[in-house]
Amino acid sequence: MTPRRRRPRGGALRLMIGLGILAAALAVQAAEPALYAQLRAFVFDTYQRQAPRPYVPPEPDMEDLSQPWGVRIVDIDEASIARFGQFPWPRPLMAALLDRLDYFGARVVALDIVFSEPDRTSPDAVLPVWSMLSDTAALDAPVSDLPDHDAVLGQQIDGRPVVVGLIGQGAVPDDARLPAVKWGFAFSGPDADSDPRRFVPAFPAALLNLPEIEAAAAGNGALNLIPSVDGVVRALPMFITVGDPPDHRIVPSLVAEAVRVSEGVSTYRMRLAGGAGERAFGAQTGIARIAIGAHEIPLSGDGQMRLYDSGRIDARWVSAADVLDGSVDPWTIANHIVFIGSSAAGLRDLRATPLDSAAAGVEVHAMLTEQILSGRFLVRPDWVGGAEAAFVAVAGAALLIILSRLGALAGAVVSVAMAGGAVAVSIAMFAGQGLLIDPIMPVVALAILWATVSLMGYRQSERERSQIRHAFTHFLAPSLVEQLADNPAALQLGGTTREISLLFADIRGFTSLSETLDPETLTQLINRFLSPMSDVILAERGTIDKFIGDCIMAFWNAPLDDADHARNALTAALKMRGALAGLNDALAAEAATAARRPIRLGIGIGLHAGPACVGNMGTARRFDYSAIGDTVNLAARLEGLSKLYGVDLVASEQIVDRAGGRATGAWLAVELDLIRAKGRREPVRAFTLLETAGAPTPAQTALADAVAAMLAAWRAGDWPATAHAIEDAAAAAERARETRLTGLLDLYGSRLLERAGQPVPEGWDGISDALSK
């Protein structure tokens, strides 16, 4: 036979595809497409929902006024509107509210409101309306003496620590102007041309307060909360730009301005990534952090501060009505940063946050201010992305090595351990340091890598097994070679029907074994298994039909007559047991010498006797001497059933009877079951063989009788008797020191559990149906 050309091994291809998967994972991680970013944000939201930022109630300390004691929200709520009228309130009423807060000692008041239009209740605005109703000449002089409401509010704000708000917007009005500057900037970057304005959200224009209000304020900050694509607010832009380049102006947020005024400083100190003390791996990726007085705040590259959500806390809120009538506890206002906003129906600026689907915008500002005062931040520095990519690369490479050397099962254990470790580290870093580390890419990348490479390895294993099966199929038994040499006329197609004994045997767990060995080692092992098995078969006058991978098919009484074919087949099966034990001992000794784990082979053997068609099968150019028919099929099925019954040998009643009966000087046949094979009407009684030394021992005979009693009780549908019989058989096996029937007794124990408490089915005969071929 001409040797077949070996196909190239698939290890290199698996390595290339594995590296391609890793490269794709790293590319996705670097590009951060929208879906990936949303999944990561969802994971971080889940962390916050499981462990929200704890709210620490403010504790007044008269000995330390250097820092605010806390943050409060003065709420223009339903009660306030019911008492003082619909909103917007007249500016004098807002001025009175500011006056009361100043009286109670508020450290800073930040208005989450924009007064962009004149007060409609001002005397100058009301007089034209009155003139349409009556003669108002008598009112002109008194009205002209009344102060303008907007001026009243401006005067109340002037000289006090009040921060007003503005809203960056896309539409540019005709009278557009830039926000009034109340602050200064000092920043460090990687070069002299560094400009933070190119990193922050940009707006062509802004909705501003009236000039007299804006000019009087101590601070002027943006109210913009920019949600993610799913509508959830997860961060606050600490800075925006207003206007068109190159004259656009950088504007801090309301939160930043509230903290700046509280700190009593005039300048923001800003560090860009790549600047002094900031790592950016050689790239200028944005704003790394800002300092406001004593507070240093980490930012994302686009100048946003991440929200560490605590959820709604009722203790933050104070009703504006209680402030105006003086009933509020002064300690809830004194030395606090106070935000004025509204929770009234129809007035709420509702925003979805990680913990609340409808949070008031003013509470988002308050929570972010609390984070700054307490130093509790959620951070994702520039170096985290590089560290995540390095972990994915190293873990993926390690998994590829493990898959190539130890197989899919070990790879699964390691990949689960590494992915679980990535998740555990992510959770621990969030809980301990507020550090956001992405657990998604390691889990997804390792799962895809393991599944793809393992599937490729399995397919390669199956191809190699098919190649081995194809190659061994072309070998002829020596007895057939001798017959063909004596009678060349036998080289013709066709066959004859004759009674033969058939044997099928294969290695248990071949697929799992093939995943752990390279093709050369696997082939050598298969050859070492097939060689002694073949020698035993040939020594007992058998004909090897074919090798199908790890499986041997052999038969007796063809092409040469063999009057004792059934006995020779059973004798060969028993000797194959001994040959396998010797092979396993040799493999164990070799493994001990090489200091590695030994390989232990198991076998399954099926035997049957009956009529079959034997002869040359194939075409005129290529054929094999083989056997076909129902007898062959049943022998193969009996071999497959050996695993179910937990034995290494299953023989039919026909071959046992033809071989001399159930008890001989070489064996004792123990019945396993009465089996109805698929496609056959009549059931087959199946046996396994216990080896005897001249004659069965009394203990062996007692064991066979105990098993027979168990089968009789089972077939009679007597479940209690079956249970007792199983116990008796187990005891008999222990006395006989026989372990080959343990799997059989376990099987009937499982069957009995399934039937326990159920009536005997109608027509019950205890026959087992073998549904698979």
Side-chain angles (χ1 to χ4, degrees):
M1 182 183 70
T2 303
R4 294 177 60 86
R5 183 179 178 181
R6 289 182 58 196
R7 293 184 180 181
R9 294 177 62 185
L13 179 60
R14 293 200 303 274
L15 177 61
M16 291 175 59
I17 291 180
L19 293 176
I21 292 172
L22 285 179
L26 295 175
V28 170
Q29 193 173 31
E32 292 193 2
L35 178 59
Y36 171 56
Q38 283 302 111
L39 288 174
R40 185 174 63 191
F42 175 78
V43 170
F44 294 156
D45 290 351
T46 301
Y47 290 173
Q48 295 198 59
R49 285 191 287 269
Q50 296 302 315
R53 178 176 61 85
Y55 175 74
V56 180
E59 295 184 3
D61 183 0
M62 293 301 297
E63 295 182 0
D64 183 11
L65 299 177
S66 62
Q67 291 295 319
W69 294 336
V71 180
R72 298 289 184 187
I73 302 171
V74 171
D75 184 14
I76 302 174
D77 55 6
E78 296 287 357
S80 302
I81 291 175
R83 182 168 180 180
F84 295 101
Q86 67 179 12
F87 197 82
W89 284 345
R91 303 291 154 80
L93 183 57
M94 292 299 301
L97 179 60
L98 293 175
D99 182 66
R100 298 301 293 174
L101 292 172
D102 183 61
Y103 173 78
F104 288 128
R107 186 182 184 97
V108 175
V109 177
L111 293 166
D112 192 15
I113 303 167
V114 179
F115 302 105
S116 59
E117 298 179 354
D119 188 349
R120 290 178 295 174
T121 66
S122 288
D124 290 342
V126 174
L127 186 59
V129 178
W130 289 344
S131 66
M132 297 174 63
L133 302 176
S134 61
D135 181 10
T136 59
L139 298 174
D140 288 345
V143 169
S144 63
D145 293 336
L146 295 175
D148 179 75
H149 288 185
D150 297 314
V152 170
L153 180 58
Q155 291 169 5
Q156 179 62 41
I157 291 174
D158 189 24
R160 292 178 172 83
V162 176
V163 179
V164 296
L166 61 91
I167 301 174
Q169 58 185 14
V172 181
D174 295 335
D175 58 346
R177 56 187 173 88
L178 292 177
V181 176
K182 310 287 183 176
W183 55 83
F185 281 102
F187 60 88
S188 62
D191 53 63
D193 297 328
S194 299
D195 186 349
R197 291 180 295 182
R198 61 194 178 101
F199 299 114
V200 301
F203 296 90
L207 182 67
L208 304 174
N209 284 279
L210 295 171
E212 56 266 44
I213 296 175
E214 184 183 40
N220 191 20
L223 303 177
N224 296 79
L225 293 171
I226 302 176
S228 303
V229 293
D230 59 354
V232 177
V233 173
R234 298 184 175 90
L236 167 73
M238 291 294 280
F239 300 95
I240 65 171
T241 61
V242 176
D244 295 323
D247 299 324
H248 51 312
R249 181 168 294 170
I250 190 165
V251 178
S253 66
L254 184 72
V255 170
E257 280 289 82
V259 175
R260 181 187 65 81
V261 173
S262 171
E263 289 291 294
V265 298
S266 61
T267 303
Y268 293 101
R269 302 190 309 277
M270 183 181 299
R271 293 181 185 177
L272 304 184
E278 296 300 327
R279 296 182 180 179
F281 296 97
Q284 188 174 345
T285 55
I287 304 172
R289 60 185 63 241
I290 61 167
I292 310 175
H295 303 288
E296 193 162 292
I297 306 161
L299 304 179
S300 59
D302 56 356
Q304 298 204 55
M305 173 184 165
R306 287 184 169 84
L307 173 64
Y308 194 170
D309 205 342
S310 66
R312 179 181 171 89
I313 303 295
D314 292 337
R316 287 195 190 102
W317 298 80
V318 176
S319 174
D322 294 340
V323 175
L324 286 168
D325 65 16
S327 62
V328 67
D329 181 358
W331 292 106
T332 62
I333 303 297
N335 200 39
H336 284 69
I337 295 177
V338 178
F339 286 86
I340 298 179
S342 177
S343 66
L347 297 180
R348 290 185 69 188
D349 177 21
L350 300 181
R351 304 301 179 105
T353 68
L355 268 65
D356 193 342
S357 61
V362 67
E363 188 163 30
V364 176
H365 292 300
M367 287 191 289
L368 290 157
T369 306
E370 288 174 351
Q371 288 180 234
I372 295 173
L373 298 182
S374 65
R376 296 290 299 271
F377 301 103
L378 294 182
V379 295
R380 185 171 167 80
D382 290 320
W383 60 263
V384 169
E388 292 169 350
F391 176 80
V392 170
V394 172
L399 179 58
L400 284 175
I401 295 173
I402 291 169
L403 285 170
S404 65
R405 295 187 177 182
L406 301 180
L409 180 59
V413 173
V414 172
S415 60
V416 169
M418 289 191 295
V423 173
V425 168
S426 176
I427 294 173
M429 296 305 289
F430 168 83
Q433 301 183 29
L435 186 62
L436 300 178
I437 297 179
D438 174 24
I440 296 177
M441 187 53 68
V443 173
V444 173
L446 291 174
I448 294 176
L449 184 63
W450 175 84
T452 302
V453 176
S454 297
L455 178 61
M456 292 181 65
Y458 174 77
R459 294 185 62 183
Q460 181 186 357
S461 173
E462 289 302 306
R463 285 195 301 268
E464 291 171 352
R465 183 173 181 175
S466 177
Q467 292 169 5
I468 294 172
R469 182 185 296 116
H470 184 74
F472 278 95
T473 300
H474 301 291
F475 288 109
L476 300 176
S479 59
L480 180 58
V481 174
E482 292 297 325
Q483 181 178 349
L484 292 177
D486 295 339
N487 182 19
L491 291 174
Q492 60 183 6
L493 295 180
T496 60
T497 299
R498 60 190 301 168
E499 181 168 311
I500 61 174
S501 293
L502 283 127
L503 177 149
F504 280 84
D506 75 353
I507 298 175
R508 284 284 168 260
F510 177 83
T511 299
S512 300
L513 183 66
S514 66
E515 292 178 350
T516 62
L517 301 176
D518 60 77
E520 290 80 1
T521 304
L522 181 63
T523 301
Q524 293 174 5
L525 184 63
I526 293 296
N527 290 340
R528 292 186 65 179
F529 168 77
L530 294 175
S531 295
M533 302 301 134
S534 301
D535 292 342
V536 169
I537 292 170
L538 297 177
E540 296 301 322
R541 302 187 64 185
T543 298
I544 297 176
D545 184 321
K546 57 177 68 72
F547 300 109
I548 313 171
D550 61 309
C551 177
I552 306 174
M553 174 183 172
F555 50 82
W556 282 256
N557 202 34
L560 305 178
D561 293 337
D562 182 3
D564 294 326
H565 59 87
R567 174 178 288 273
N568 291 336
L570 294 185
T571 301
L574 294 175
K575 290 184 177 180
M576 288 169 71
R577 278 180 177 170
L580 181 63
L583 176 58
N584 280 327
D585 290 341
L587 292 174
E590 292 170 5
T593 302
R596 55 178 170 79
R597 180 179 297 178
I599 298 172
R600 185 167 185 84
L601 301 179
I603 193 172
I605 304 173
L607 300 111
H608 181 51
C613 179
V614 294
N616 294 319
M617 310 293 175
T619 68
R621 293 189 176 185
R622 177 173 176 173
F623 54 85
D624 291 320
Y625 189 86
S626 185
I628 58 174
D630 183 67
T631 298
V632 179
N633 296 336
L634 182 56
R637 293 179 189 176
L638 292 176
E639 182 276 324
L641 290 172
S642 64
K643 183 176 182 180
L644 172 65
Y645 288 92
V647 295
D648 60 355
L649 186 155
V650 178
S652 69
E653 182 180 26
Q654 290 83 344
I655 194 171
V656 170
D657 289 344
R658 284 174 174 80
R662 304 181 185 182
T664 70
W667 65 74
L668 174 65
V670 178
E671 185 177 354
L672 300 175
D673 205 348
L674 197 57
I675 303 167
R676 184 182 293 109
K678 186 175 182 180
R680 294 175 61 93
R681 293 182 179 179
E682 295 298 323
V684 176
R685 201 175 299 273
F687 295 83
T688 193
L689 303 183
L690 304 181
E691 294 157 274
T692 61
T697 65
Q700 288 178 321
T701 302
L703 174 58
D705 293 342
V707 173
M710 175 190 74
L711 295 176
W714 172 258
R715 290 165 186 163
D718 189 344
W719 311 142
T722 303
H724 290 301
I726 292 174
E727 294 177 358
D728 294 340
E734 185 174 359
R735 288 191 295 272
R737 298 182 180 180
E738 181 57 64
T739 61
R740 296 185 187 277
L741 300 182
T742 301
L744 174 69
L745 300 180
D746 290 343
L747 173 65
Y748 277 93
S750 300
R751 289 177 175 179
L752 187 61
L753 285 177
E754 295 176 357
R755 295 287 181 183
Q758 300 181 17
V760 179
E762 184 177 355
W764 170 260
D765 54 10
I767 298 175
S768 300
D769 291 320
L771 300 180
S772 60
K773 292 186 177 181

